[in-house]
Amino acid sequence: MASEIMTLNMGPQHPSTHGVLRLVVELDGEVIQKITPHIGYLHRGIEKLSEHRTYHQTLPLTDRMDYLAPMHNNLGYVLAVEKLLGLDVPERAKLVRVIMAELTRLKSHLVWIACHALDIGAMTVFLYAFRERELVMDLYEMVSGARMTSNYFRVGGLSRDLPAGFEQKVQEIVDTFPGHFDTYEGLLTKNTIWLQRTIGNGVISAEDAIDFGISGPALRGSGVDFDLRRDLPYSGYEDFEFKVPVGENCDTFDRYKVRLVEMRESVKIIDQALKRLKPGPILADAPQVCYPPKDSVYNSIEGLIHHFKIASEGFPVPEGEVYMAVENPKGELGYYIVSDGGNMPYRMRVRPPSFVNLGAIEKMAKGSMLADLVAVIGTLDIVLGEIDR
C-alpha cells in the first residue's frame, strides 16, 4: 500500500518578533519529505525606506533588523558609508566598537542557547543564560540609553565616549562569564537527552553549506574554517588573537559547540581590547560628516547650527558603490550601497545571514522526524526581523 503524504502547517510562529515564519511541511508519517518556508508577512521595507533618508537617518533602521545584535547591524552600515567616504576612524573608536560588537555576540548567543535549550526541553539553561544577558543589556543602557535596539555607533566613530564605570563592569564580565559557560556545558554537553536530540540532527555537509550560502556558526559547524573577522578583517580585528572553532560532524551538536567556543573567544577579544584602550578622540576629524560634541551644541550657537545642518541636510557622499560585510552572530551581514553623490543612498541592499541560512532548512531536516525540525530551527538561530526586512 502506497504511503499517504500529509501536508502540515507549522506556524505561523513568534508574532512578536517583527516577522512571522510559517513552514509548510510534507510528512510521510512523522518523517519530513519536504519543507517550504513562507516569509514576508510584515513587509517593513527597510532597504526602500533608506532611499528617502539621509545616511545618518538610515542608521536607526538597521538596528531594527536583527534586534538581538543591533550594534553589529549598525557597525556594518557605518563601515560601508565610511568606506564610500574614505573616512579613517580614531583608534579608541575602533576598540570601543570591537568591545561592543563582542558584547553583542555574547548577548545574541546567550539568547540562542537559552531558547534552543528550552525548545528541546532544558529549562534551567534558559533561566541562567537570560540572567547573564541582563548584564550585557545593562552595558547597552549605559552607553546608549537603550537596552535592545541600541544605537551607539555613528558614521566616523561613536555618538559619545564611554561613561564612567563602564570599563570596570566590562572587566567583571570578562572575569565571570567563563564560569557561566562552564555551567551551561555541565548542564548540556553530556546530558543524554540533549545528545540524543542534537547528535546526527540537521546534518549539512561543508559542500552543501557553501552551495546554500550559509555563513557564521552554521557554516563553521559544517567544518568550513571561515570567519570575516580573521579572513577579511575590519575595525582592527586583524590585531586581535582569537580562535575560530569548526565542527567535524556537521550536525546540531557541532553548531552548539562552535557557538560555546565563540562565546569564550569573544570574552578573550574583549579582554584584549580593554587592555589596549587609551584616552583619545572618538570621532573622525570630518566636521562635514560628524555631529559636533554635545557640549558644543548646548553651549555655543556655532555648535547648534553645525548640529542642525547635519541633522536636517545630511552630508553628500561621493558617487560610487560599495559592499561591506561584518561577522554578525548569525553569519555574514553585508551592506551594498550605491551613491549618486547625494545625501541619501541611491540604493541599499542588505545581505542578512538569517535569510540566507533559512534557505537550507529543507536540506538539513529532510528525512528527519517532525520533532527534530524544532531543533533544526533552533540551531540556525534565525531572527525574523532581518528575514522580513
Side-chain angles (χ1 to χ4, degrees):
M1 181 180 176
S3 60
E4 182 178 345
I5 301 298
M6 177 175 64
T7 301
L8 179 72
N9 274 307
M10 191 170 177
Q13 296 142 340
H14 296 299
S16 64
T17 55
H18 307 175
V20 181
L21 174 65
R22 168 177 166 243
L23 299 176
V24 178
V25 187
E26 295 182 17
L27 298 169
D28 182 0
E30 289 190 44
V31 179
I32 298 168
Q33 302 298 310
K34 184 179 179 181
I35 302 172
T36 305
H38 287 255
I39 60 172
Y41 289 88
L42 297 186
H43 309 289
R44 293 191 294 155
I46 286 173
E47 294 153 318
K48 196 65 180 176
L49 286 171
S50 70
E51 298 172 14
H52 304 278
R53 284 160 173 76
T54 67
Y55 286 92
H56 275 314
Q57 291 168 349
T58 297
L59 182 58
L61 298 177
T62 63
D63 48 66
R64 269 72 179 171
M65 293 189 300
D66 182 355
Y67 40 81
L68 298 179
M71 292 210 188
H72 276 102
N73 300 355
N74 294 159
L75 181 59
Y77 175 76
V78 298
L79 287 173
V81 178
E82 288 163 1
K83 195 172 180 180
L84 273 170
L85 290 166
L87 203 60
D88 290 326
V89 176
E91 182 65 17
R92 180 174 175 84
K94 287 183 180 179
L95 289 171
V96 173
R97 284 178 174 184
V98 168
I99 290 171
M100 296 310 303
E102 294 309 315
L103 285 171
T104 300
R105 195 178 313 279
L106 288 174
K107 184 169 78 85
S108 178
H109 281 358
L110 286 170
V111 174
W112 157 77
I113 196 171
C115 297
H116 188 34
L118 188 64
D119 287 344
I120 295 178
M123 186 171 183
T124 307
V125 179
F126 177 90
L127 300 173
Y128 288 171
F130 266 78
R131 177 189 63 187
E132 276 73 78
R133 176 176 177 259
E134 282 298 304
L135 301 176
V136 181
M137 301 281 274
D138 290 342
L139 294 173
Y140 260 51
E141 189 172 14
M142 284 184 73
V143 299
S144 71
R147 295 172 61 81
M148 194 146 183
T149 49
S150 187
N151 195 281
Y152 179 53
F153 302 154
R154 294 291 182 271
V155 176
L158 310 171
S159 63
R160 60 181 66 84
D161 208 343
L162 297 175
F166 178 85
E167 293 175 44
Q168 290 79 4
K169 287 188 175 293
V170 174
Q171 188 61 54
E172 291 174 12
I173 284 179
V174 169
D175 295 338
T176 60
F177 268 41
H180 296 313
F181 303 150
D182 292 340
T183 300
Y184 308 155
E185 288 225 63
L187 288 166
L188 295 178
T189 303
K190 295 184 179 180
N191 183 297
T192 303
I193 298 174
W194 181 259
L195 297 178
Q196 289 176 344
R197 295 297 304 274
T198 58
I199 291 179
N201 173 263
V203 175
I204 184 166
S205 68
E207 183 180 1
D208 287 334
I210 292 170
D211 287 346
F212 274 98
I214 291 176
S215 58
L219 177 67
R220 292 187 284 276
S222 289
V224 181
D225 187 6
F226 180 75
D227 189 309
L228 285 166
R229 296 172 295 172
R230 181 197 64 194
D231 301 321
L232 291 171
Y234 53 89
S235 203
Y237 269 108
E238 64 272 19
D239 299 325
F240 292 88
E241 293 183 8
F242 60 96
K243 181 172 70 174
V244 176
V246 294
E248 297 177 354
N249 301 311
C250 314
D251 58 8
T252 296
F253 185 77
D254 271 9
R255 290 184 285 274
Y256 154 75
K257 290 291 289 183
V258 162
R259 288 189 178 95
L260 274 176
V261 175
E262 282 190 8
M263 287 196 283
R264 295 184 186 276
E265 295 302 308
S266 287
V267 170
K268 293 178 184 177
I269 293 172
I270 294 167
D271 190 33
Q272 294 173 57
L274 279 177
K275 288 180 169 62
R276 290 167 45 192
L277 201 59
K278 301 287 191 298
I282 58 161
L283 280 172
D285 184 17
Q288 74 279 11
V289 171
C290 301
Y291 285 113
K294 289 296 183 184
D295 286 345
S296 173
V297 177
Y298 295 148
N299 298 305
S300 73
I301 188 63
E302 293 83 7
L304 181 61
I305 293 171
H306 181 189
H307 185 278
F308 178 78
K309 184 174 176 61
I310 293 179
S312 59
E313 298 179 6
F315 51 84
V317 171
E319 189 174 339
E321 57 186 290
V322 68
Y323 177 77
M324 185 67 206
V326 296
E327 189 68 36
N328 174 286
K330 282 81 177 169
E332 180 180 339
L333 172 65
Y335 289 88
Y336 173 68
I337 300 177
V338 178
S339 171
D340 60 0
N343 64 343
M344 303 178 185
Y346 176 72
R347 289 287 186 272
M348 186 177 86
R349 292 292 179 268
V350 183
R351 190 261 184 219
S354 292
F355 177 80
V356 179
N357 292 353
L358 182 63
I361 192 168
E362 181 177 350
K363 182 69 177 179
M364 297 171 71
K366 188 175 180 179
S368 301
M369 304 289 281
L370 179 62
D372 292 331
L373 180 54
V374 175
V376 172
I377 296 172
T379 195
L380 283 174
D381 189 23
I382 58 173
V383 165
L384 271 300
E386 72 172 28
I387 292 173
D388 188 8
R389 65 201 178 287

mmCIF file of all heavy atoms in Angstrom, residues 265-286:
data_model
loop_
_atom_site.group_PDB
_atom_site.id
_atom_site.type_symbol
_atom_site.label_atom_id
_atom_site.label_comp_id
_atom_site.label_asym_id
_atom_site.label_seq_id
_atom_site.Cartn_x
_atom_site.Cartn_y
_atom_site.Cartn_z
ATOM 1 N N GLU A 265 35.771 32.879 23.145
ATOM 2 C CA GLU A 265 36.717 33.683 22.374
ATOM 3 C C GLU A 265 36.320 35.155 22.383
ATOM 4 O O GLU A 265 37.185 36.035 22.382
ATOM 5 C CB GLU A 265 36.805 33.163 20.936
ATOM 6 C CG GLU A 265 37.388 31.757 20.813
ATOM 7 C CD GLU A 265 38.786 31.663 21.423
ATOM 8 O OE1 GLU A 265 39.649 32.495 21.068
ATOM 9 O OE2 GLU A 265 39.010 30.763 22.257
ATOM 10 N N SER A 266 35.022 35.441 22.403
ATOM 11 C CA SER A 266 34.575 36.834 22.488
ATOM 12 C C SER A 266 35.058 37.478 23.783
ATOM 13 O O SER A 266 35.477 38.646 23.799
ATOM 14 C CB SER A 266 33.046 36.915 22.410
ATOM 15 O OG SER A 266 32.588 36.650 21.105
ATOM 16 N N VAL A 267 35.003 36.730 24.872
ATOM 17 C CA VAL A 267 35.496 37.247 26.154
ATOM 18 C C VAL A 267 36.983 37.572 26.053
ATOM 19 O O VAL A 267 37.447 38.608 26.558
ATOM 20 C CB VAL A 267 35.227 36.225 27.278
ATOM 21 C CG1 VAL A 267 35.954 36.622 28.561
ATOM 22 C CG2 VAL A 267 33.733 36.098 27.542
ATOM 23 N N LYS A 268 37.752 36.722 25.363
ATOM 24 C CA LYS A 268 39.194 36.971 25.200
ATOM 25 C C LYS A 268 39.444 38.227 24.362
ATOM 26 O O LYS A 268 40.356 39.012 24.654
ATOM 27 C CB LYS A 268 39.858 35.759 24.549
ATOM 28 C CG LYS A 268 39.859 34.505 25.416
ATOM 29 C CD LYS A 268 40.481 33.334 24.683
ATOM 30 C CE LYS A 268 40.398 32.060 25.508
ATOM 31 N NZ LYS A 268 40.941 30.883 24.773
ATOM 32 N N ILE A 269 38.652 38.413 23.311
ATOM 33 C CA ILE A 269 38.802 39.604 22.471
ATOM 34 C C ILE A 269 38.487 40.861 23.276
ATOM 35 O O ILE A 269 39.212 41.867 23.200
ATOM 36 C CB ILE A 269 37.886 39.510 21.232
ATOM 37 C CG1 ILE A 269 38.359 38.388 20.304
ATOM 38 C CG2 ILE A 269 37.877 40.833 20.478
ATOM 39 C CD1 ILE A 269 37.408 38.086 19.159
ATOM 40 N N ILE A 270 37.415 40.822 24.065
ATOM 41 C CA ILE A 270 37.046 41.969 24.892
ATOM 42 C C ILE A 270 38.170 42.295 25.871
ATOM 43 O O ILE A 270 38.522 43.469 26.077
ATOM 44 C CB ILE A 270 35.725 41.696 25.637
ATOM 45 C CG1 ILE A 270 34.564 41.587 24.652
ATOM 46 C CG2 ILE A 270 35.441 42.784 26.669
ATOM 47 C CD1 ILE A 270 33.294 41.024 25.267
ATOM 48 N N ASP A 271 38.752 41.267 26.475
ATOM 49 C CA ASP A 271 39.847 41.469 27.426
ATOM 50 C C ASP A 271 41.035 42.151 26.746
ATOM 51 O O ASP A 271 41.633 43.087 27.300
ATOM 52 C CB ASP A 271 40.261 40.116 28.005
ATOM 53 C CG ASP A 271 41.210 40.260 29.179
ATOM 54 O OD1 ASP A 271 41.095 41.248 29.939
ATOM 55 O OD2 ASP A 271 42.092 39.394 29.343
ATOM 56 N N GLN A 272 41.390 41.705 25.538
ATOM 57 C CA GLN A 272 42.490 42.335 24.803
ATOM 58 C C GLN A 272 42.179 43.797 24.481
ATOM 59 O O GLN A 272 43.044 44.679 24.606
ATOM 60 C CB GLN A 272 42.755 41.572 23.505
ATOM 61 C CG GLN A 272 43.287 40.159 23.688
ATOM 62 C CD GLN A 272 43.354 39.404 22.375
ATOM 63 O OE1 GLN A 272 43.995 39.847 21.424
ATOM 64 N NE2 GLN A 272 42.687 38.266 22.316
ATOM 65 N N ALA A 273 40.944 44.068 24.064
ATOM 66 C CA ALA A 273 40.566 45.439 23.716
ATOM 67 C C ALA A 273 40.608 46.353 24.943
ATOM 68 O O ALA A 273 41.045 47.506 24.853
ATOM 69 C CB ALA A 273 39.180 45.456 23.084
ATOM 70 N N LEU A 274 40.146 45.840 26.083
ATOM 71 C CA LEU A 274 40.188 46.643 27.311
ATOM 72 C C LEU A 274 41.611 47.041 27.673
ATOM 73 O O LEU A 274 41.874 48.178 28.083
ATOM 74 C CB LEU A 274 39.567 45.867 28.473
ATOM 75 C CG LEU A 274 38.048 45.850 28.599
ATOM 76 C CD1 LEU A 274 37.631 44.970 29.768
ATOM 77 C CD2 LEU A 274 37.495 47.253 28.773
ATOM 78 N N LYS A 275 42.541 46.096 27.529
ATOM 79 C CA LYS A 275 43.941 46.361 27.875
ATOM 80 C C LYS A 275 44.566 47.396 26.943
ATOM 81 O O LYS A 275 45.514 48.107 27.330
ATOM 82 C CB LYS A 275 44.738 45.062 27.841
ATOM 83 C CG LYS A 275 44.444 44.112 28.995
ATOM 84 C CD LYS A 275 45.262 42.839 28.893
ATOM 85 C CE LYS A 275 45.193 42.001 30.165
ATOM 86 N NZ LYS A 275 43.846 41.542 30.489
ATOM 87 N N ARG A 276 44.077 47.490 25.716
ATOM 88 C CA ARG A 276 44.650 48.421 24.740
ATOM 89 C C ARG A 276 43.928 49.763 24.704
ATOM 90 O O ARG A 276 44.367 50.687 24.022
ATOM 91 C CB ARG A 276 44.605 47.792 23.344
ATOM 92 C CG ARG A 276 45.569 46.628 23.170
ATOM 93 C CD ARG A 276 45.284 45.835 21.915
ATOM 94 N NE ARG A 276 45.045 46.691 20.757
ATOM 95 C CZ ARG A 276 44.557 46.255 19.602
ATOM 96 N NH1 ARG A 276 44.244 44.973 19.470
ATOM 97 N NH2 ARG A 276 44.377 47.078 18.598
ATOM 98 N N LEU A 277 42.833 49.885 25.445
ATOM 99 C CA LEU A 277 42.014 51.095 25.381
ATOM 100 C C LEU A 277 42.732 52.273 26.046
ATOM 101 O O LEU A 277 43.114 52.210 27.212
ATOM 102 C CB LEU A 277 40.677 50.834 26.063
ATOM 103 C CG LEU A 277 39.501 51.739 25.715
ATOM 104 C CD1 LEU A 277 39.193 51.695 24.227
ATOM 105 C CD2 LEU A 277 38.270 51.322 26.521
ATOM 106 N N LYS A 278 42.921 53.336 25.288
ATOM 107 C CA LYS A 278 43.591 54.548 25.778
ATOM 108 C C LYS A 278 42.693 55.760 25.516
ATOM 109 O O LYS A 278 41.877 55.750 24.603
ATOM 110 C CB LYS A 278 44.925 54.755 25.052
ATOM 111 C CG LYS A 278 45.925 53.606 25.202
ATOM 112 C CD LYS A 278 46.514 53.566 26.589
ATOM 113 C CE LYS A 278 47.692 52.601 26.657
ATOM 114 N NZ LYS A 278 47.317 51.209 26.361
ATOM 115 N N PRO A 279 42.850 56.820 26.313
ATOM 116 C CA PRO A 279 42.079 58.041 26.039
ATOM 117 C C PRO A 279 42.405 58.589 24.650
ATOM 118 O O PRO A 279 43.521 58.434 24.155
ATOM 119 C CB PRO A 279 42.554 59.002 27.137
ATOM 120 C CG PRO A 279 43.111 58.125 28.211
ATOM 121 C CD PRO A 279 43.695 56.936 27.515
ATOM 122 N N GLY A 280 41.425 59.213 24.038
ATOM 123 C CA GLY A 280 41.635 59.768 22.705
ATOM 124 C C GLY A 280 40.321 60.157 22.070
ATOM 125 O O GLY A 280 39.241 59.984 22.661
ATOM 126 N N PRO A 281 40.369 60.693 20.855
ATOM 127 C CA PRO A 281 39.134 61.109 20.171
ATOM 128 C C PRO A 281 38.266 59.915 19.807
ATOM 129 O O PRO A 281 38.774 58.803 19.587
ATOM 130 C CB PRO A 281 39.659 61.822 18.916
ATOM 131 C CG PRO A 281 41.028 61.262 18.692
ATOM 132 C CD PRO A 281 41.576 60.964 20.051
ATOM 133 N N ILE A 282 36.973 60.154 19.735
ATOM 134 C CA ILE A 282 36.032 59.085 19.391
ATOM 135 C C ILE A 282 35.344 59.350 18.049
ATOM 136 O O ILE A 282 34.523 58.556 17.613
ATOM 137 C CB ILE A 282 34.962 58.916 20.490
ATOM 138 C CG1 ILE A 282 34.210 60.243 20.700
ATOM 139 C CG2 ILE A 282 35.585 58.407 21.775
ATOM 140 C CD1 ILE A 282 32.888 60.100 21.387
ATOM 141 N N LEU A 283 35.690 60.483 17.419
ATOM 142 C CA LEU A 283 35.116 60.822 16.117
ATOM 143 C C LEU A 283 36.218 61.228 15.157
ATOM 144 O O LEU A 283 37.227 61.821 15.563
ATOM 145 C CB LEU A 283 34.113 61.971 16.242
ATOM 146 C CG LEU A 283 32.702 61.633 16.728
ATOM 147 C CD1 LEU A 283 31.917 62.909 16.982
ATOM 148 C CD2 LEU A 283 31.965 60.749 15.729
ATOM 149 N N ALA A 284 36.022 60.894 13.891
ATOM 150 C CA ALA A 284 36.979 61.296 12.864
ATOM 151 C C ALA A 284 37.003 62.813 12.730
ATOM 152 O O ALA A 284 36.023 63.497 13.056
ATOM 153 C CB ALA A 284 36.608 60.648 11.526
ATOM 154 N N ASP A 285 38.132 63.331 12.253
ATOM 155 C CA ASP A 285 38.257 64.773 12.029
ATOM 156 C C ASP A 285 37.593 65.119 10.697
ATOM 157 O O ASP A 285 38.259 65.361 9.689
ATOM 158 C CB ASP A 285 39.737 65.162 12.031
ATOM 159 C CG ASP A 285 39.928 66.676 11.910
ATOM 160 O OD1 ASP A 285 38.948 67.408 12.145
ATOM 161 O OD2 ASP A 285 41.050 67.105 11.560
ATOM 162 N N ALA A 286 36.260 65.096 10.708
ATOM 163 C CA ALA A 286 35.484 65.351 9.491
ATOM 164 C C ALA A 286 34.212 66.097 9.871
ATOM 165 O O ALA A 286 33.126 65.513 9.935
ATOM 166 C CB ALA A 286 35.160 64.041 8.790
#
